[in-house]
Amino acid sequence: MVRQASINTLSKHLISVYPNIITEIDVHTGNYLSSKVDSHQNEMLVLGILLSVLQQKGQVAIRISELLDKSFDEHLEIMASNLIDADDGKSGSSYFLGSGNPKDLDESATKTIRGGISGIKLTNEILAGFVKSGIIGDATSINYETIEIQFPLVRQVDWIYLSRYWEAERTVVSGIINRLSTAESDTMDSFPSNVDEVLTKQVIGDDKSNSDHEIKHSKLLAHSQKNVTDADIQQRIHQYLKDDEGRTESQINAVTTALRDRFTIITGGPGTGKTRCITTLLAVLFEFDPSQKVALAAPTGKAAARMMESVTQNLEALQIPESILQAIPKSASTLHRLIGWNPGMGKALYSKDRRLELDLLIIDEASMVDLAMLARVFKALPDRCRIILLGDKDQLSSVEAGAVFGEITRTLAELQKEIPKTKDGQKSVSAENHTHSESKYDFMVNLSHSWRFSDESRLSDLAKLINSGDGINSWQLMQNEDALGVVNPKQMNLIDTVIPRINEIHNQLLSQIEKFTKREQKESTSEDFNQQVAALFKTLKTFQNLSAHRRGYGGSVMLNAIIDKVLSEKLRKTGKTTLISEDGEWYVGRPVIVTQNDYNLGLFNGDVGITIKLDDRLMVSFGVDPKTNRLKIVAPSQLYNIETAWVITVHKSQGSEFDNIMLVMPDEMSPVLTRELIYTAVTRARNSVEIYGHESVWIEAVQRQSGRYSGIGEMLGQLIAE
């Protein structure tokens, strides 16, 4: 049997035959699970490897109907077709299965592996045997409190999970369900005891409904100590939001829903007013209930900073009274910091045994939050704590495993289809706060009107066409509009396209930086100097190159390396050698992006800095710290986890806005190119979008949706329907 070989030999063979798909972690996972069964050990080895590989690629479960339909080798072929090599951008099953590098393959390993386990298929009988042996827990009979100890794997209706991801999904779903009721009992204990029987019965066709179970909602500001009526609250919401054109009806609905419910989702594209909604909510909340303990959070440091910046701008626009402003949070935190997550120990300071003291948590950019982190957050919150998730359901999912926000919003969107709508596509709301729908699915509000783009905006039209999967018309639109454009790779070299515009921005930065290169260090925190540095970042945001890939031709790594060399040489040739470091790596005007949190420096993943010259030294400014109103300046020698930011990946651009963008696409269709990636890229722009790519690649990418799914959406939808 294959598994009788040592784990090291097994890993070597499998990785040799299936390079860039299988890792040592995957093999160790499969080997561990196969050692726990007495029969069908190779089948369990295959199942364990597949689950581990999927988890590394963002999936948290595998659908049984798909699992049983294919052999091990066929599964790997499909995975290969959906991957792209991190180093040179190659993709496709032939490369990933090794045939692209025949000299590197071990022929004996190929014969051993492909002859032994490549053709293995699992059957329902084998899975039933695994359940009977105790290695797979049947969700209809699991003791939730001890699942992690009892079962390495879990079967829930048509899904197989590694148990920790099943537990994470159940934690999130139970946290939502319990907040949709008026009861404030413990999250774990109050989770419906018959949940798995309910799911199973619904799948096999049992339509018996539970008329006694009804989702109820708390009143507006139920915990307020003041004598306040819902009419008082509605009057204040309308005061802050209502306009003559009635475009804010959906925003009023969103604020009302968030004040009423203990769990709310507010979703919408860029500029639809998500932050305006929560700013209004905070103002109303602290006016009528100043005792509330509220936290603002986001998945990354950059997103948290952007959230606070947007909240501050909206507070000024709404003209909130000073007495209320004093109570509103002055900063937003990363989720990691909020719960005190320690990655080294794999534990959080706050969990179900030590809860955060919060009454309301608002999470921005929720589409970027992975399953494991969201589960940790739910565990750390007290049962009384309301949760509001803000995000764009059409954007890219988290880098880590799971697509919680996308799945939940897709499920709720389907359930809400029959709800009566107003002319702007929103649920109708009267001034007295009575929705014309009593649907129990109305804790999600979708904002559709964009305040960033006018009704005539071609950018808005482009985003809508992309979301509808219309690759042909979206391409034609880009070719026919001034604010949109296409650069054909057959007519213009990539480097010749990118360099001139970057060089122009760099010249603008140099001109601005020259104004303060002679300043004394003590003056670096003066108000005028802060404004001059802020102007640098404004210049940098006038244009941004985005890349679909990090590696490979046209990827951010390759383009940044070329740009760095060109700009450094430009300074050298013009005699400005004092603006370049001795090794040539650093030069004045070089923008950098942080790739990993550095709590010692107070820098977070996604933070952007600009290289300046201060007191005859090259330094990197990360802008003004909103907490101290002082410039955050760091020496280049202190920065380790950074990259040049002339070109950034679409993933890294999430949560950012730029005046104009250019998206660089690969010459051939790549597995990373999806509708969600294209949409995320074009919606980073305020004014114009330009695409460097081929028509055929664009059309196929827009038509292709991300395939990251699990059972969480089905689970939530079925439980709500009970």
Side-chain angles (χ1 to χ4, degrees):
M1 295 170 58
V2 172
R3 67 168 301 275
Q4 291 178 337
S6 71
I7 185 63
N8 290 333
T9 301
L10 182 63
S11 296
K12 179 181 177 181
H13 283 190
L14 281 169
I15 294 171
S16 173
V17 177
Y18 305 108
N20 302 299
I21 297 180
I22 296 179
T23 67
E24 289 188 10
I25 293 176
D26 304 326
V27 181
H28 278 279
T29 299
N31 186 69
Y32 168 78
L33 292 171
S34 68
S35 69
K36 300 296 180 181
V37 296
D38 295 326
S39 61
H40 297 291
Q41 293 166 328
N42 284 346
E43 283 79 359
M44 179 52 71
L45 172 69
V46 165
L47 178 58
I49 290 174
L50 289 177
L51 284 170
S52 181
V53 169
L54 287 171
Q55 180 266 316
Q56 302 288 340
K57 307 301 182 274
Q59 300 282 122
V60 298
I62 186 169
R63 195 179 284 276
I64 294 175
S65 56
E66 297 175 359
L67 174 68
L68 303 181
D69 187 46
K70 302 173 184 66
S71 68
F72 182 45
D73 203 40
E74 289 172 329
H75 278 293
L76 295 174
E77 287 273 2
I78 293 174
M79 291 178 188
S81 67
N82 287 285
L83 298 177
I84 182 162
D85 182 59
D87 293 320
D88 59 15
K90 293 182 179 179
S91 63
S93 59
S94 63
Y95 175 75
F96 280 96
L97 294 181
S99 60
N101 299 287
K103 295 181 180 179
D104 298 333
L105 291 183
D106 185 323
E107 292 185 6
S108 62
T110 303
K111 182 178 180 181
T112 300
I113 300 300
R114 289 189 169 158
I117 64 174
S118 66
I120 286 179
K121 287 186 178 181
L122 281 91
T123 65
N124 271 317
E125 290 74 21
I126 292 175
L127 290 179
F130 288 153
V131 171
K132 187 175 181 180
S133 71
I135 194 170
I136 298 180
D138 187 340
T140 60
S141 59
I142 282 177
N143 178 343
Y144 181 78
E145 296 290 340
T146 58
I147 174 181
E148 204 164 9
I149 299 174
Q150 287 183 327
F151 308 101
L153 306 176
V154 175
R155 174 174 183 166
Q156 178 172 289
V157 189
D158 191 36
W159 295 91
I160 294 284
Y161 291 80
L162 291 169
S163 62
R164 64 181 178 272
Y165 291 108
W166 182 86
E167 180 185 11
E169 284 197 358
R170 292 292 292 272
T171 297
V172 172
V173 171
S174 64
I176 294 173
I177 291 294
N178 289 323
R179 285 173 171 80
L180 297 181
S181 68
T182 56
E184 292 195 359
S185 50
D186 181 80
T187 298
M188 299 302 172
D189 292 340
S190 63
F191 193 87
S193 59
N194 68 333
V195 54
D196 301 299
E197 294 176 8
V198 169
L199 294 178
T200 303
K201 289 178 180 178
Q202 289 192 4
V203 168
I204 63 176
D206 190 335
D207 294 326
K208 184 179 179 181
S209 61
N210 184 354
S211 59
D212 295 330
H213 182 73
E214 215 173 278
I215 300 295
K216 299 178 180 179
H217 299 293
S218 59
K219 297 293 184 182
L220 297 182
L221 291 176
H223 296 290
S224 176
Q225 301 300 311
K226 289 188 175 184
N227 185 17
V228 58
T229 66
D230 286 358
D232 294 330
I233 296 171
Q234 277 297 308
Q235 188 275 332
R236 186 67 76 238
I237 295 173
H238 278 70
Q239 175 186 324
Y240 287 134
L241 290 179
K242 200 64 177 177
D243 73 333
D244 295 336
E245 299 178 21
R247 292 181 295 180
T248 53
E249 187 172 293
S250 57
Q251 293 178 316
I252 293 171
N253 183 28
V255 176
T256 301
T257 300
L259 287 170
R260 180 197 65 203
D261 295 348
R262 294 171 60 216
F263 178 79
T264 309
I265 292 176
I266 301 176
T267 182
T272 51
K274 298 185 292 295
T275 309
R276 176 64 64 97
C277 288
I278 66 163
T279 306
T280 300
L281 179 144
L282 290 172
V284 173
L285 182 69
F286 283 110
E287 177 179 353
F288 293 109
D289 193 359
S291 65
Q292 290 281 296
K293 297 177 181 177
V294 179
L296 308 180
T300 67
K302 181 177 68 173
R306 173 62 185 158
M307 180 187 192
M308 202 62 234
E309 177 186 339
S310 185
V311 167
T312 301
Q313 292 172 349
N314 277 280
L315 287 172
E316 294 173 355
L318 292 175
Q319 299 181 332
I320 308 297
E322 185 63 31
S323 58
I324 299 175
L325 286 175
Q326 294 302 317
I328 292 177
K330 300 299 185 294
S331 64
S333 168
T334 63
L335 293 175
H336 294 77
R337 275 201 162 184
L338 178 74
I339 66 174
W341 176 246
N342 186 325
M345 298 180 64
K347 294 182 180 180
L349 179 62
Y350 295 97
S351 189
K352 68 176 184 177
D353 297 325
R354 183 184 179 183
R355 306 291 179 93
L356 289 159
E357 286 296 320
L358 286 178
D359 299 303
L360 170 64
L361 172 63
I362 302 174
I363 302 176
D364 198 12
E365 296 291 351
S367 63
M368 298 169 62
V369 183
D370 63 274
L371 173 61
M373 176 52 69
L374 192 58
R376 296 183 195 114
V377 170
F378 269 92
K379 287 181 179 180
L381 296 175
D383 303 313
R384 71 175 184 277
C385 184
R386 299 182 181 198
I387 302 174
I388 301 174
L389 301 183
L390 305 173
D392 187 341
K393 60 182 175 58
D394 299 312
Q395 277 194 187
L396 286 165
S397 300
S398 60
V399 176
E400 303 297 330
V404 186
F405 191 78
E407 283 199 64
I408 291 176
T409 53
R410 276 193 296 268
T411 298
L412 293 176
E414 288 296 317
L415 295 173
Q416 289 181 344
K417 279 185 175 179
E418 302 304 318
I419 298 177
K421 302 291 175 62
T422 65
K423 62 182 180 180
D424 68 345
Q426 306 301 326
K427 293 179 296 179
S428 181
V429 182
S430 69
E432 291 77 28
N433 184 38
H434 294 297
T435 61
H436 295 307
S437 168
E438 296 298 328
S439 170
K440 53 193 174 184
Y441 314 124
D442 63 357
F443 56 89
M444 181 180 83
V445 180
N446 182 31
L447 305 176
S448 59
H449 178 83
S450 176
W451 297 79
R452 180 190 298 180
F453 308 123
S454 67
D455 293 337
E456 296 78 26
S457 170
R458 300 295 87 182
L459 284 173
S460 178
D461 291 341
L462 178 60
K464 291 175 183 177
L465 287 171
I466 292 169
N467 275 336
S468 67
D470 193 339
I472 295 175
N473 284 320
S474 60
W475 182 265
Q476 291 177 348
L477 178 64
M478 288 190 299
Q479 290 183 314
N480 299 328
E481 296 296 331
D482 293 338
L484 308 172
V486 174
V487 179
N488 190 331
K490 294 181 179 179
Q491 298 174 349
M492 179 72 77
N493 178 275
L494 175 59
I495 306 304
D496 292 339
T497 302
V498 171
I499 293 295
R501 211 166 309 183
I502 296 298
N503 188 55
E504 180 182 342
I505 295 175
H506 184 241
N507 286 337
Q508 293 179 39
L509 293 174
L510 287 178
S511 177
Q512 292 174 276
I513 293 171
E514 284 178 358
K515 296 178 181 180
F516 53 79
T517 53
K518 300 296 183 181
R519 286 181 173 271
E520 295 294 328
Q521 183 67 44
K522 64 181 180 181
E523 296 182 42
S524 64
T525 57
S526 63
E527 184 176 349
D528 63 331
F529 185 54
N530 289 0
Q531 292 175 351
Q532 287 179 315
V533 173
L536 294 177
F537 287 92
K538 187 175 181 180
T539 297
L540 192 63
K541 286 190 174 183
T542 58
F543 176 79
Q544 181 65 56
N545 270 301
L546 301 179
S547 176
H549 298 156
R550 182 172 179 273
R551 301 277 186 178
Y553 183 78
S556 60
V557 172
M558 183 206 90
L559 290 176
N560 281 320
I562 293 173
I563 295 169
D564 280 343
K565 182 177 180 181
V566 169
L567 297 182
S568 182
E569 283 298 312
K570 177 185 74 173
L571 293 176
R572 198 180 305 279
K573 289 179 180 179
T574 55
K576 298 181 179 180
T577 55
T578 58
L579 304 184
I580 314 170
S581 63
E582 290 185 5
D583 59 7
E585 179 182 3
W586 291 92
Y587 56 89
V588 169
R590 179 195 182 196
V592 294
I593 186 168
V594 177
T595 59
Q596 186 174 322
N597 294 345
D598 189 329
Y599 294 105
N600 292 326
L601 294 176
L603 298 176
F604 302 95
N605 185 16
D607 285 353
V608 173
I610 299 177
T611 309
I612 63 176
K613 191 168 186 184
L614 193 63
D615 298 334
D616 293 324
R617 297 172 58 198
L618 292 183
M619 303 294 287
V620 183
S621 173
F622 288 88
V624 177
D625 189 331
K627 294 182 180 179
T628 63
N629 199 34
R630 294 172 62 92
L631 282 176
K632 187 178 294 183
I633 298 178
V634 181
S637 59
Q638 293 179 277
L639 298 172
Y640 296 98
N641 300 303
I642 54 97
E643 296 176 351
T644 300
W646 290 119
V647 184
I648 61 175
T649 62
V650 177
H651 280 85
K652 289 188 180 296
S653 74
Q654 289 188 87
S656 299
E657 294 178 4
F658 310 97
D659 292 341
N660 312 285
I661 69 108
M662 172 180 277
L663 172 62
V664 178
M665 300 178 65
D667 289 338
E668 297 179 356
M669 184 58 190
S670 159
V672 303
L673 289 176
T674 62
R675 182 182 307 170
E676 292 82 359
L677 183 136
I678 300 296
Y679 170 82
T680 301
V682 302
T683 54
R684 298 311 91 203
R686 285 181 171 273
N687 301 327
S688 72
V689 169
E690 196 167 14
I691 306 298
Y692 182 90
H694 297 280
E695 179 180 3
S696 60
V697 176
W698 169 272
I699 292 174
E700 187 174 350
V702 170
Q703 293 174 343
R704 184 172 181 263
Q705 284 188 280
S706 172
R708 191 184 291 192
Y709 298 101
S710 68
I712 192 170
E714 296 174 10
M715 187 193 309
L716 179 64
Q718 291 163 7
L719 288 175
I720 294 174
E722 273 298 293

